[in-house]
Amino acid sequence: MQMMRKRTNCYIYTRVSTSIQVDGYSLDAQREKLRGYAAYQEMTVVGEYSDEGFSGKNIQGRMEFRRMLEDIQAQKDSVDYVLVFKLSRFGRNAADVLNSLQLMQDYGVNLICVEDGIDSSKESGKLMISVLSAVAEIERENIRAQTMAGREQKAREGKWNGGFAPYGYKLENGLILIAEDEAEVIRIIYDRYVHTSDRISTIAEYLNRNGYTKKLRQNNMLPTFSADFIKAVLDNPIYCGKIAYGRRKTVKRVGTRNETHIVWADDYPVHDGLHEAIVSEEVWQLAQKKRKNTCFAKEKLKDSDHAHILSGILRCPCCGKGLYGNVARGKTKDNKIRYYYYCKNPVKATGHSCGFRFNLEQSKIDTLVASIISAMVNRPEFVEAIREKLGTAVDTSTIEKQIDTLKNSLRLASGIKSHLERQMDTMNPDDPFFDQKIADLQRRYDFQYERMAEITEELDAANDQLQAMLQEKLTTDSIYQLLLVFDQLYGSFTEIEKKKFMQAFIEKIELYPEKQPDGNWLKHITFNFPIPTKGGQVTEYPLESREALETVMCFSREPSA
């Protein structure tokens, strides 16, 4: 009797990293090679998986690789083998390679590395995989170390290390030169910070209100100046003629095996640069001294159980700044501590003084705002509309498109980088212009390296923004749920919990410049998200109307909660 041969099914997995192609083999070339091998071995290819533009240092970013493992765990196609071109395409991290292989073998699936001649179903094959995967990981770390060592050497020589030139400079032929149309702003920032009492936010406000606009370019796409921009300028030694190396470093996330993130280093080497300084080293050091003296969190010394519930939410009617909480010990017989909201912005950057000098008693204002919210949420149409809003989807299409664009940019930059690598590898040392050509290619290569790092940071930020949007939806739903039982719960909150609620619910509360004849200070409330009302929904709630005013005055006569 003739025995029927068992049908052998297999998956094909291919990958091209962000930096190199294996021995010149593109994804299509790898696929053809693997399909040919499968046909020769009389295997049936029942699935193909491919990751393009992802490093093999771990499996976290390789979605197709992870999908393949999930299909194996689900025993989707009854596969016997996974075919890869070389072991380095399967992974370069030894632990990941062995863990993934063990998972596959738990479901009866083995790995064949065609070019390496490795079959994990054989004892010698598994041993060879252990050795080669460790070698691949060491090779990856060596490449990274050599690349970083080259960049560190450029910094020691005072050369620009690639990427976009910092604001105030322009990049020409690999050198950074002063851009006079931007340098004026840099000098103003240092001059005002060092020689006046201006704070960082005050300097940003001064620039924006005095006609200075930021030049738009690749890494500066907002026309206005922000406090973060001022901080970055003040903290960068590039402006006093220095080149810093290692201000940002990649570190491993605690509790993970391969996940990393970028952090700012507290200490890093600084070298004399070949470029011209915009400010003197003396001025830069004075700025650092002031930064050190002012850049700390003030410790709360009094009344740790008390919270200024509406601090930052109440806006000064004169200058628009948020009101702060103030504490005053009474000189009356009861000797009680009294709390107020006040504006501590006596002089603005333009020299104009803020004339709002009233201290608003916190207990009255806090109770009044809580009463308004209570009146709103007790309306039947409000309750009905809130219940309809719970669970609605959030629109993330715009940020998802941005993420896709950044991924495409990353693939493009990595493709250019790979092309430059191949050009450098095939350069003829006997070419009379070899040194100049290799230096030009290296400069362009370094630029792509920096560009990829910047895109990766933008991609991380976009992903964080996406998660924040989803988290904001959860937060909004939580606030809506709380509003449905506001009267039952708010009175039992601690003052800190009340403050957190108000910050999540209300963006700002505008005040009248003076107390109104009826005793009211509140003029306008702006919420963080739409609030249902009769006939629709609003994010702004004016308190000038008769209905709103009657509500305010009705509840303002009630005793404090």
Side-chain angles (χ1 to χ4, degrees), residues 150-182:
R151 301 182 71 189
E152 185 175 6
Q153 178 59 32
K154 288 184 68 176
R156 282 196 293 265
E157 295 171 358
K159 298 177 181 178
W160 179 239
N161 235 323
F164 299 124
Y167 199 85
Y169 288 97
K170 58 185 176 180
L171 191 64
E172 291 186 4
N173 299 322
L175 302 175
I176 53 173
L177 307 174
I178 292 180
E180 286 299 336
D181 56 341
E182 297 177 350

Side-chain angles (χ1 to χ4, degrees), residues 425-475:
D425 289 341
T426 57
M427 283 284 295
N428 182 4
D430 296 328
D431 188 322
F433 302 105
F434 176 80
D435 290 340
Q436 295 94 318
K437 289 182 179 179
I438 203 71
D440 179 62
L441 290 172
Q442 183 66 47
R443 178 183 59 78
R444 292 159 60 191
Y445 177 83
D446 290 343
F447 176 81
Q448 293 303 321
Y449 187 98
E450 187 70 20
R451 176 63 179 147
M452 289 168 61
E454 290 173 352
I455 294 174
T456 301
E457 286 190 36
E458 292 181 31
L459 190 57
D460 290 342
N463 281 317
D464 289 342
Q465 184 179 348
L466 176 61
Q467 293 304 314
M469 291 175 65
L470 298 175
Q471 182 61 43
E472 182 180 355
K473 169 61 179 171
L474 295 175
T475 302

Side-chain angles (χ1 to χ4, degrees), residues 44-81:
T44 303
V45 178
V46 293
E48 295 188 8
Y49 304 81
S50 179
D51 283 308
E52 182 177 3
F54 290 98
S55 168
K57 71 174 184 179
N58 60 57
I59 68 172
Q60 299 305 317
R62 294 192 280 157
M63 304 306 296
E64 284 290 280
F65 185 85
R66 295 169 65 180
R67 186 169 70 88
M68 180 183 71
L69 294 182
E70 290 170 1
D71 288 347
I72 290 174
Q73 288 176 281
Q75 297 179 292
K76 178 180 176 182
D77 299 298
S78 301
V79 296
D80 304 288
Y81 290 97

Side-chain angles (χ1 to χ4, degrees), residues 505-531:
F505 184 47
I506 299 176
E507 178 185 336
K508 63 181 178 180
I509 300 175
E510 297 176 32
L511 304 175
Y512 287 107
E514 295 181 353
K515 184 190 292 186
Q516 299 302 289
D518 53 27
N520 178 39
W521 280 102
L522 308 184
K523 180 180 180 182
H524 199 100
I525 298 179
T526 303
F527 303 104
N528 282 322
F529 42 83
I531 302 300

Side-chain angles (χ1 to χ4, degrees), residues 407-424:
K407 286 182 178 179
N408 290 334
S409 298
L410 185 60
R411 291 192 189 97
L412 177 61
S414 65
I416 295 173
K417 185 169 177 286
S418 299
H419 179 68
L420 292 171
E421 284 177 337
R422 290 194 296 273
Q423 281 187 283
M424 287 189 284

Side-chain angles (χ1 to χ4, degrees), residues 369-394:
V369 173
S371 298
I372 294 171
I373 297 174
S374 178
M376 292 174 57
V377 301
N378 278 294
R379 295 175 178 173
E381 66 271 14
F382 179 90
V383 175
E384 181 181 352
I386 284 294
R387 286 174 175 161
E388 290 178 358
K389 281 185 168 294
L390 288 173
T392 55
V394 60

Side-chain angles (χ1 to χ4, degrees), residues 307-326 340-343 356 360 362 365-366 368-370 372-373 479 486 490 495-512 521-529 539 541 543:
H308 307 291
I309 296 173
L310 299 175
S311 177
I313 297 175
L314 294 170
R315 298 299 175 86
C316 174
C318 180
C319 67
K321 298 289 186 180
L323 299 190
Y324 291 81
N326 191 20
Y340 300 93
Y341 295 114
Y342 80 110
C343 179
F356 190 76
L360 309 184
Q362 286 190 20
I365 300 293
D366 293 347
L368 190 57
V369 173
I372 294 171
I373 297 174
I479 295 297
F486 180 82
Y490 188 78
E495 290 191 338
I496 294 176
E497 290 171 335
K498 290 179 180 178
K499 181 173 183 177
K500 289 181 179 179
F501 168 79
M502 290 297 183
Q503 288 176 333
F505 184 47
I506 299 176
E507 178 185 336
K508 63 181 178 180
I509 300 175
E510 297 176 32
L511 304 175
Y512 287 107
W521 280 102
L522 308 184
K523 180 180 180 182
H524 199 100
I525 298 179
T526 303
F527 303 104
N528 282 322
F529 42 83
T539 55
Y541 189 71
L543 299 173

